[in-house]
Amino acid sequence: MDALAPPSFLCPITREIMRDPVSVVDGHSYERADIERWLASHDTSPATGAQLANPTLTPNHALRNSIEEWLKAQFKLVPRADITIDGEPIARGRQKTVHRG
């Protein structure tokens, strides 16, 4: 699945599709868990190698929404909350591993 994704949807650290993208002061977006691990032992950008002025992580909502829309279109993923049993959602939250089809 990751090989089909647009390059901007992939974390520069792991090359996997991001689920919780965050921006760093270097202007790049990373998967939150991956950049947090990186920053625990580095003070440089994994993309450029430049020193980071600060370790602030900012959620990248626009990128996350674009990734979710692409996943829905490509793989027919649906939010668990959209699937109901006797009128009650089977779960709460964002896309998981439920497939339509």
mmCIF file of all heavy atoms in Angstrom, residues 1-18 29-31 63 67:
data_model
loop_
_atom_site.group_PDB
_atom_site.id
_atom_site.type_symbol
_atom_site.label_atom_id
_atom_site.label_comp_id
_atom_site.label_asym_id
_atom_site.label_seq_id
_atom_site.Cartn_x
_atom_site.Cartn_y
_atom_site.Cartn_z
ATOM 1 N N MET A 1 0.830 -1.184 0.000
ATOM 2 C CA MET A 1 0.000 0.000 0.000
ATOM 3 C C MET A 1 0.877 1.253 0.000
ATOM 4 O O MET A 1 0.582 2.199 -0.694
ATOM 5 C CB MET A 1 -0.922 -0.032 1.212
ATOM 6 C CG MET A 1 -1.690 1.231 1.426
ATOM 7 S SD MET A 1 -3.046 1.160 2.600
ATOM 8 C CE MET A 1 -2.242 0.783 4.121
ATOM 9 N N ASP A 2 1.980 1.272 0.790
ATOM 10 C CA ASP A 2 2.828 2.451 0.867
ATOM 11 C C ASP A 2 3.459 2.793 -0.481
ATOM 12 O O ASP A 2 3.674 3.964 -0.781
ATOM 13 C CB ASP A 2 3.924 2.251 1.910
ATOM 14 C CG ASP A 2 3.361 2.121 3.319
ATOM 15 O OD1 ASP A 2 2.175 2.439 3.525
ATOM 16 O OD2 ASP A 2 4.104 1.683 4.207
ATOM 17 N N ALA A 3 3.745 1.779 -1.296
ATOM 18 C CA ALA A 3 4.366 2.008 -2.601
ATOM 19 C C ALA A 3 3.431 2.766 -3.538
ATOM 20 O O ALA A 3 3.898 3.430 -4.464
ATOM 21 C CB ALA A 3 4.776 0.679 -3.226
ATOM 22 N N LEU A 4 2.122 2.682 -3.321
ATOM 23 C CA LEU A 4 1.151 3.358 -4.167
ATOM 24 C C LEU A 4 0.879 4.793 -3.739
ATOM 25 O O LEU A 4 0.319 5.570 -4.492
ATOM 26 C CB LEU A 4 -0.180 2.588 -4.142
ATOM 27 C CG LEU A 4 -0.138 1.129 -4.595
ATOM 28 C CD1 LEU A 4 -1.484 0.470 -4.350
ATOM 29 C CD2 LEU A 4 0.250 1.034 -6.053
ATOM 30 N N ALA A 5 1.254 5.129 -2.530
ATOM 31 C CA ALA A 5 0.929 6.440 -1.961
ATOM 32 C C ALA A 5 1.785 7.545 -2.573
ATOM 33 O O ALA A 5 2.949 7.330 -2.897
ATOM 34 C CB ALA A 5 1.138 6.406 -0.457
ATOM 35 N N PRO A 6 1.215 8.746 -2.675
ATOM 36 C CA PRO A 6 2.025 9.891 -3.092
ATOM 37 C C PRO A 6 3.184 10.079 -2.104
ATOM 38 O O PRO A 6 3.012 9.874 -0.898
ATOM 39 C CB PRO A 6 1.042 11.060 -3.012
ATOM 40 C CG PRO A 6 -0.307 10.438 -3.161
ATOM 41 C CD PRO A 6 -0.197 9.096 -2.491
ATOM 42 N N PRO A 7 4.346 10.462 -2.580
ATOM 43 C CA PRO A 7 5.515 10.610 -1.702
ATOM 44 C C PRO A 7 5.282 11.540 -0.510
ATOM 45 O O PRO A 7 5.827 11.310 0.563
ATOM 46 C CB PRO A 7 6.599 11.161 -2.626
ATOM 47 C CG PRO A 7 6.180 10.711 -3.994
ATOM 48 C CD PRO A 7 4.679 10.701 -3.982
ATOM 49 N N SER A 8 4.463 12.573 -0.672
ATOM 50 C CA SER A 8 4.227 13.511 0.429
ATOM 51 C C SER A 8 3.424 12.886 1.564
ATOM 52 O O SER A 8 3.358 13.455 2.655
ATOM 53 C CB SER A 8 3.508 14.764 -0.081
ATOM 54 O OG SER A 8 2.238 14.415 -0.609
ATOM 55 N N PHE A 9 2.821 11.723 1.334
ATOM 56 C CA PHE A 9 2.058 11.026 2.370
ATOM 57 C C PHE A 9 2.941 10.106 3.203
ATOM 58 O O PHE A 9 2.500 9.532 4.184
ATOM 59 C CB PHE A 9 0.940 10.191 1.753
ATOM 60 C CG PHE A 9 -0.180 10.993 1.136
ATOM 61 C CD1 PHE A 9 -0.187 12.375 1.134
ATOM 62 C CD2 PHE A 9 -1.242 10.335 0.542
ATOM 63 C CE1 PHE A 9 -1.225 13.095 0.550
ATOM 64 C CE2 PHE A 9 -2.294 11.046 -0.028
ATOM 65 C CZ PHE A 9 -2.288 12.429 -0.026
ATOM 66 N N LEU A 10 4.202 9.958 2.813
ATOM 67 C CA LEU A 10 5.115 9.049 3.501
ATOM 68 C C LEU A 10 6.002 9.803 4.482
ATOM 69 O O LEU A 10 6.534 10.871 4.169
ATOM 70 C CB LEU A 10 5.997 8.322 2.489
ATOM 71 C CG LEU A 10 5.282 7.544 1.391
ATOM 72 C CD1 LEU A 10 6.292 6.919 0.445
ATOM 73 C CD2 LEU A 10 4.343 6.505 1.965
ATOM 74 N N CYS A 11 6.181 9.239 5.646
ATOM 75 C CA CYS A 11 7.087 9.828 6.640
ATOM 76 C C CYS A 11 8.519 9.739 6.111
ATOM 77 O O CYS A 11 8.950 8.663 5.679
ATOM 78 C CB CYS A 11 6.959 9.074 7.967
ATOM 79 S SG CYS A 11 8.118 9.640 9.218
ATOM 80 N N PRO A 12 9.264 10.835 6.124
ATOM 81 C CA PRO A 12 10.651 10.790 5.650
ATOM 82 C C PRO A 12 11.550 9.850 6.462
ATOM 83 O O PRO A 12 12.580 9.420 5.967
ATOM 84 C CB PRO A 12 11.128 12.242 5.801
ATOM 85 C CG PRO A 12 9.894 13.063 5.823
ATOM 86 C CD PRO A 12 8.842 12.202 6.457
ATOM 87 N N ILE A 13 11.157 9.534 7.683
ATOM 88 C CA ILE A 13 11.979 8.661 8.522
ATOM 89 C C ILE A 13 11.752 7.195 8.175
ATOM 90 O O ILE A 13 12.700 6.447 7.959
ATOM 91 C CB ILE A 13 11.684 8.908 10.018
ATOM 92 C CG1 ILE A 13 12.034 10.348 10.390
ATOM 93 C CG2 ILE A 13 12.444 7.900 10.895
ATOM 94 C CD1 ILE A 13 11.571 10.762 11.776
ATOM 95 N N THR A 14 10.491 6.771 8.092
ATOM 96 C CA THR A 14 10.178 5.346 7.900
ATOM 97 C C THR A 14 9.738 4.994 6.490
ATOM 98 O O THR A 14 9.683 3.826 6.136
ATOM 99 C CB THR A 14 9.047 4.915 8.855
ATOM 100 O OG1 THR A 14 7.869 5.681 8.539
ATOM 101 C CG2 THR A 14 9.452 5.118 10.303
ATOM 102 N N ARG A 15 9.375 6.007 5.704
ATOM 103 C CA ARG A 15 8.832 5.813 4.343
ATOM 104 C C ARG A 15 7.502 5.055 4.377
ATOM 105 O O ARG A 15 7.143 4.367 3.436
ATOM 106 C CB ARG A 15 9.827 5.120 3.420
ATOM 107 C CG ARG A 15 11.187 5.784 3.313
ATOM 108 C CD ARG A 15 11.196 7.215 2.834
ATOM 109 N NE ARG A 15 10.554 7.348 1.523
ATOM 110 C CZ ARG A 15 10.036 8.487 1.061
ATOM 111 N NH1 ARG A 15 10.062 9.567 1.790
ATOM 112 N NH2 ARG A 15 9.476 8.535 -0.120
ATOM 113 N N GLU A 16 6.763 5.178 5.484
ATOM 114 C CA GLU A 16 5.437 4.575 5.619
ATOM 115 C C GLU A 16 4.384 5.677 5.610
ATOM 116 O O GLU A 16 4.672 6.826 5.974
ATOM 117 C CB GLU A 16 5.338 3.783 6.921
ATOM 118 C CG GLU A 16 6.262 2.575 6.951
ATOM 119 C CD GLU A 16 6.217 1.836 8.271
ATOM 120 O OE1 GLU A 16 5.540 2.299 9.218
ATOM 121 O OE2 GLU A 16 6.881 0.794 8.372
ATOM 122 N N ILE A 17 3.156 5.334 5.216
ATOM 123 C CA ILE A 17 2.074 6.309 5.197
ATOM 124 C C ILE A 17 1.841 6.845 6.608
ATOM 125 O O ILE A 17 1.748 6.078 7.568
ATOM 126 C CB ILE A 17 0.776 5.685 4.640
ATOM 127 C CG1 ILE A 17 0.965 5.311 3.164
ATOM 128 C CG2 ILE A 17 -0.403 6.648 4.795
ATOM 129 C CD1 ILE A 17 -0.211 4.587 2.557
ATOM 130 N N MET A 18 1.752 8.166 6.714
ATOM 131 C CA MET A 18 1.531 8.798 8.011
ATOM 132 C C MET A 18 0.064 8.711 8.403
ATOM 133 O O MET A 18 -0.823 8.827 7.560
ATOM 134 C CB MET A 18 1.977 10.259 7.965
ATOM 135 C CG MET A 18 3.474 10.414 7.786
ATOM 136 S SD MET A 18 4.013 12.140 7.768
ATOM 137 C CE MET A 18 3.732 12.544 6.028
ATOM 138 N N SER A 29 6.968 17.390 7.306
ATOM 139 C CA SER A 29 6.010 16.672 8.145
ATOM 140 C C SER A 29 6.491 15.247 8.346
ATOM 141 O O SER A 29 7.079 14.641 7.447
ATOM 142 C CB SER A 29 4.626 16.662 7.498
ATOM 143 O OG SER A 29 4.070 17.960 7.539
ATOM 144 N N TYR A 30 6.213 14.740 9.542
ATOM 145 C CA TYR A 30 6.645 13.405 9.945
ATOM 146 C C TYR A 30 5.509 12.726 10.700
ATOM 147 O O TYR A 30 4.640 13.406 11.260
ATOM 148 C CB TYR A 30 7.848 13.491 10.897
ATOM 149 C CG TYR A 30 9.020 14.265 10.355
ATOM 150 C CD1 TYR A 30 9.132 15.637 10.565
ATOM 151 C CD2 TYR A 30 10.007 13.623 9.626
ATOM 152 C CE1 TYR A 30 10.214 16.342 10.063
ATOM 153 C CE2 TYR A 30 11.096 14.327 9.116
ATOM 154 C CZ TYR A 30 11.186 15.686 9.338
ATOM 155 O OH TYR A 30 12.252 16.379 8.837
ATOM 156 N N GLU A 31 5.542 11.409 10.766
ATOM 157 C CA GLU A 31 4.630 10.690 11.640
ATOM 158 C C GLU A 31 5.016 11.037 13.077
ATOM 159 O O GLU A 31 6.200 10.994 13.447
ATOM 160 C CB GLU A 31 4.744 9.174 11.409
ATOM 161 C CG GLU A 31 3.910 8.346 12.349
ATOM 162 C CD GLU A 31 2.411 8.597 12.223
ATOM 163 O OE1 GLU A 31 1.930 8.996 11.131
ATOM 164 O OE2 GLU A 31 1.720 8.381 13.229
ATOM 165 N N LEU A 63 -2.730 17.793 5.814
ATOM 166 C CA LEU A 63 -2.097 16.591 5.277
ATOM 167 C C LEU A 63 -2.820 15.338 5.758
ATOM 168 O O LEU A 63 -3.074 14.419 4.975
ATOM 169 C CB LEU A 63 -0.619 16.537 5.674
ATOM 170 C CG LEU A 63 0.171 15.321 5.192
ATOM 171 C CD1 LEU A 63 0.103 15.168 3.669
ATOM 172 C CD2 LEU A 63 1.617 15.412 5.666
ATOM 173 N N ILE A 67 -4.536 12.532 3.354
ATOM 174 C CA ILE A 67 -4.177 11.110 3.428
ATOM 175 C C ILE A 67 -5.428 10.267 3.652
ATOM 176 O O ILE A 67 -5.627 9.243 2.989
ATOM 177 C CB ILE A 67 -3.136 10.865 4.535
ATOM 178 C CG1 ILE A 67 -1.798 11.506 4.147
ATOM 179 C CG2 ILE A 67 -2.960 9.367 4.798
ATOM 180 C CD1 ILE A 67 -0.786 11.561 5.280
#
